[in-house]
Amino acid sequence: MAGPRDYQVEGLVIRDAVVGERDRVVVLFSRDEGKLSFIARGARRPGSSLGPCVQRLTRGRFQCVRRRSLDLITQAVTVESYARLKADLWPMSCALYLAELVDSSTVEGAANRRLYDLLVQAMDTIDQGGGNDMLLRFFELRLLEQLGFCPSLRRCVACNAVLQPVANSLSARQGGAMCPACTPFCEDALPLSVDALKVLRFYLANDMDMSCRARLSAQLAAEVEEHLRRFLDSILQKELKSRAWLSRLRAEALLTGNREEPTIARRPELEQD
Amino acid sequence: MSVTAEPITRVVAALSKLPGIGPKSAQRLVYHLLQSSDQDVEELANSLLALKGSLTLCSKCFNVSDSDPCSICADYQRDSALLCVVERPADIPSVERTGKYNGLYHVLHGALSPSRGIGPDDLRIREIALRVRQIGVQEVILATNPTVEGEATAMYVRQQVSPLGVRVSRLARGLPFGADIEYADDITLGQAFDSRQGF
Ligand SMILES: [Zn+2]
Ligand SMILES: [Zn+2]
């Protein structure tokens, strides 16, 4: 029987830590209540029914009990174990990065349903084999948007002039793009090519599927990545640890044997404004 | 002024640093020790001091041992064609208890954890390839925990040693996802060893 202190949440395990001899601390990003922390007792014991459900990158429904300290997870049902995603190093690492991104950018108990939906959709996409750099960049930009830090990409953040298709710049501190006239007066402005501006606008105007299909040259992808990295770092005020891991994997070329490098500039949907 | 004597708070603070021991349990242990005989307390203190002083890491397998090489690496009866890779020294006695394994070990001293910033250079991963070449290992058995971090570690090690032409296997999922090898019961772990598969 459910008592007055019992409740249910649905969410994705974004972090976990071992505690005690057999217990696990579980951090969920939940559908209705944002980030929440729990203790799952006995979850590290082989044969524990909770164990598989409270693994990181698992989505489930959790039966919880309110306590004065951390609430307990007493029962759980796995909704999606993301087994395919966990069977390969690159997709698993992409998913861990997104989980860390959400963990670092949210506080406990602040509900954000749209961010939850974005996260689940990204996990589903990675699980179905769509874990590429475009997805990561799309997610980073949309996360910024959900948190209220979407870069301004239509008008110069300094003088409000409509941005022209010329070499502009992007300033993380000012919160958006800047025209050539204002750029010299901004210390952290980084050159923003016309194509990179188009890509960022494209991600904001299109859904995940469409954005993942965009093909960027290596140079353009690196430019977009650098801009978003600077934006995230200035907002989160810290380096994400799993990003170094992704860079290492990429550098070791463990998984990138057949990476395509076509160009984006002539894709018609990117030209539209 | 604190109501607790300073020597007590000091021991409580020291014990609280141990895994699985909170301030309350630490306090309970301290009051238990106060009631124990002088001889018992002395023995505990001496054995703790001897622990660090006499132990070393085996330079071959990185197990914690009182000799280098450790007794397993020095044992010519053991099959050097098999190398079982584990996360922690405490996993070795668990595997030994199954009685199913007569090869050698390699202790990583942790698992890859991208979000905690623990990478391959923080673990004894590079040394695996060296050992494979040196002692003619034919099969590397990945016995990391069946957790996200243990899986990531296993997949990374596989990528590192596969080019060397050795067989790579992973303990079968007799072990439920989310469990710790150290706490596995002998039957479950034994079955997992019997049904290990190519990886
Ligand atoms: Zn301007
Ligand atoms: Zn040894």
Side-chain angles (χ1 to χ4, degrees), chain A residues 57 90-104 119 123 126 135-137 139-140 143 225 228-229 232-233 236 240-246, chain B residues 114-115:
Chain A
L57 307 179
W90 178 256
M92 185 201 262
S93 303
C94 289
L96 285 172
Y97 169 64
L98 299 190
E100 191 192 356
L101 206 47
V102 169
D103 190 19
S104 315
L119 181 60
M123 293 293 153
I126 297 174
L135 173 77
L136 300 184
R137 302 294 88 78
F139 187 90
E140 290 167 342
L143 174 99
E225 182 174 359
L228 287 168
R229 184 189 67 74
L232 285 166
D233 286 356
L236 303 179
L240 291 171
K241 294 205 173 87
S242 43
R243 190 189 284 145
W245 171 244
L246 287 179
Chain B
S115 45

Side-chain angles (χ1 to χ4, degrees), chain A residues 250-272:
Chain A
R250 220 183 301 171
E252 287 185 6
L254 292 170
L255 343 117
T256 52
N258 53 358
R259 182 160 290 202
E260 296 173 52
E261 292 191 357
T263 173
I264 190 181
R266 270 166 263 315
R267 303 261 309 191
E269 64 268 31
L270 287 171
E271 301 290 350
Q272 79 194 2

Side-chain angles (χ1 to χ4, degrees), chain A:
Chain A
M1 277 299 284
R5 297 183 302 138
D6 294 321
Y7 63 100
Q8 244 199 15
V9 291
E10 181 172 332
L12 180 88
V13 181
I14 55 173
R15 174 158 47 96
D16 65 276
V18 298
V19 60
E21 286 220 339
R22 282 143 199 241
D23 307 340
R24 220 176 257 290
V25 170
V26 178
V27 181
L28 294 180
F29 195 72
S30 69
R31 191 187 58 192
D32 301 316
E33 293 167 74
K35 187 161 76 177
L36 300 170
S37 299
F38 301 90
I39 301 267
R41 282 203 183 132
R44 281 154 66 211
R45 207 185 37 188
S48 154
S49 60
L50 275 185
C53 311
V54 297
Q55 269 301 301
R56 202 171 324 171
L57 307 179
T58 299
R59 187 154 63 88
R61 269 190 299 277
F62 303 88
Q63 191 67 47
C64 314
V65 178
R66 227 174 281 286
R67 294 195 310 166
R68 220 171 293 167
S69 51
L70 281 186
D71 291 0
L72 290 181
I73 290 177
T74 52
Q75 286 173 53
V77 186
T78 299
V79 174
E80 180 54 78
S81 63
Y82 295 119
R84 278 165 297 181
L85 170 165
K86 288 169 186 164
D88 268 305
L89 198 48
W90 178 256
M92 185 201 262
S93 303
C94 289
L96 285 172
Y97 169 64
L98 299 190
E100 191 192 356
L101 206 47
V102 169
D103 190 19
S104 315
S105 61
T106 53
V107 292
E108 296 243 343
N112 191 334
R113 176 65 192 265
R114 293 179 67 177
L115 181 54
Y116 176 78
D117 290 341
L118 178 69
L119 181 60
V120 169
Q121 198 193 355
M123 293 293 153
D124 291 346
T125 304
I126 297 174
D127 199 48
Q128 287 149 23
N132 59 22
D133 286 333
M134 302 313 104
L135 173 77
L136 300 184
R137 302 294 88 78
F138 173 84
F139 187 90
E140 290 167 342
L141 185 59
R142 290 306 186 99
L143 174 99
L144 287 167
E145 185 187 33
Q146 289 309 319
L147 299 173
F149 293 103
C150 189
S152 161
L153 299 171
R154 292 283 159 197
R155 288 170 176 274
C156 171
V157 283
C159 71
N160 208 32
V162 173
L163 293 169
Q164 302 302 312
V166 295
N168 294 289
S169 69
L170 195 68
S171 159
R173 221 175 297 159
Q174 301 299 317
M178 237 181 264
C179 75
C182 296
T183 297
F185 305 102
C186 179
E187 266 180 21
D188 79 324
L190 196 71
L192 177 68
S193 69
V194 177
D195 280 348
L197 179 61
K198 277 184 193 164
V199 172
L200 292 173
R201 286 177 176 172
F202 182 75
Y203 287 166
L204 282 181
N206 289 279
D207 63 10
M208 191 179 288
D209 283 350
M210 193 65 143
S211 298
C212 288
R213 268 183 269 142
R215 292 275 171 262
L216 315 194
S217 70
Q219 194 191 352
L220 183 55
E223 188 191 344
V224 171
E225 182 174 359
E226 174 65 6
H227 280 301
L228 287 168
R229 184 189 67 74
R230 280 163 46 109
F231 246 85
L232 285 166
D233 286 356
S234 86
I235 282 149
L236 303 179
Q237 299 285 321
K238 68 169 196 174
E239 274 269 349
L240 291 171
K241 294 205 173 87
S242 43
R243 190 189 284 145
W245 171 244
L246 287 179
S247 308
R248 176 171 183 143
L249 282 182
R250 220 183 301 171
E252 287 185 6
L254 292 170
L255 343 117
T256 52
N258 53 358
R259 182 160 290 202
E260 296 173 52
E261 292 191 357
T263 173
I264 190 181
R266 270 166 263 315
R267 303 261 309 191
E269 64 268 31
L270 287 171
E271 301 290 350
Q272 79 194 2
D273 250 16

